[in-house]
Amino acid sequence: MPAPVLLVIAHGSRDPRHAATVHALVRRVRALRPGVRVETGFLDFNIPSVQGVLESLDAQGVRDVVALPLLLTRAFHAKADIPAVLRDAPARLRIRQAEVLGPSPLLTSALEQRLYEAGLSPADKSSTGVVLASAGSTDPEAIAVIADIAREWRHTGWCAVRPAFASASLPRTEDAVRELRALGCARVAVAPYVLAPGFLPDRIARGAAEADVLADVLGPAPEVARVLLERYDEARRPALTALGA
């Protein structure tokens, strides 16, 4: 039996860097798992739409799909938008919605690697405060997850780690930067906990103006691709168990 098609569901953006980054990540996923067909659909702004991809797969005779939200937290899009789109899919498709990517130790490793690429080294950890800057959400669960990640990451040796949000929640990136300065951290770094460039990541970058280091977005980091495939495997595991695979 062929492996289910992996449908990566991205938010979409008017910013062309967003789609380019999503496609780069999907190419890395395909390279890691050449035996799996991987497609991309967007909720808004970009094409192909999720509905369009699902209809195309149905017309081609595909029957099994794992729909994977390209999201770092379980907020509104994962709980409402994506399930609503999937409910409108062609009836012959068997669709399982995978879990969102975060939290994951692999994503924390990717954040750290981005900081090293931006100029830090492991020797800098004890004297560096890090702002874990996410897009933000009105969902308390999503906010709590970001706070938990910051708390756990602090225990790996950084001077301090503070969460910050580009929208919907406080503190803002610039306020967290100033708080870490006041704590006495020798340097302050901002680590964007976002997958692709766009409006809110640009706001994070502006808020990092007084920081010493600004890391890049996670983008097509190898660790992100590995998490994506982990979520795919988890979603299809019940079917594999039933088949005795």
Side-chain angles (χ1 to χ4, degrees), residues 11-13 15 17-18 21 72 133-136 165-167 173-174 190-209 214-219:
H11 183 273
S13 171
D15 189 322
R17 296 174 298 167
H18 174 90
T21 302
L72 294 172
S134 76
F165 307 94
S167 68
T173 302
E174 53 269 33
V190 174
Y193 190 57
V194 293
L195 287 166
F199 177 75
L200 293 178
D202 284 350
R203 182 179 287 177
I204 290 171
R206 290 193 297 274
L214 170 62
D216 199 358
V217 299
L218 293 171

Side-chain angles (χ1 to χ4, degrees), residues 7 9 50-58 63 65 67 82-96:
L7 172 57
I9 301 179
V50 176
Q51 188 66 28
V53 174
L54 292 171
E55 290 172 358
S56 176
L57 291 173
D58 178 59
R63 290 296 168 260
V65 177
I82 291 174
V85 172
L86 298 180
R87 281 194 296 270
D88 289 337
R92 289 177 295 188
L93 290 175
R94 292 185 293 270
I95 303 175
R96 282 159 279 177

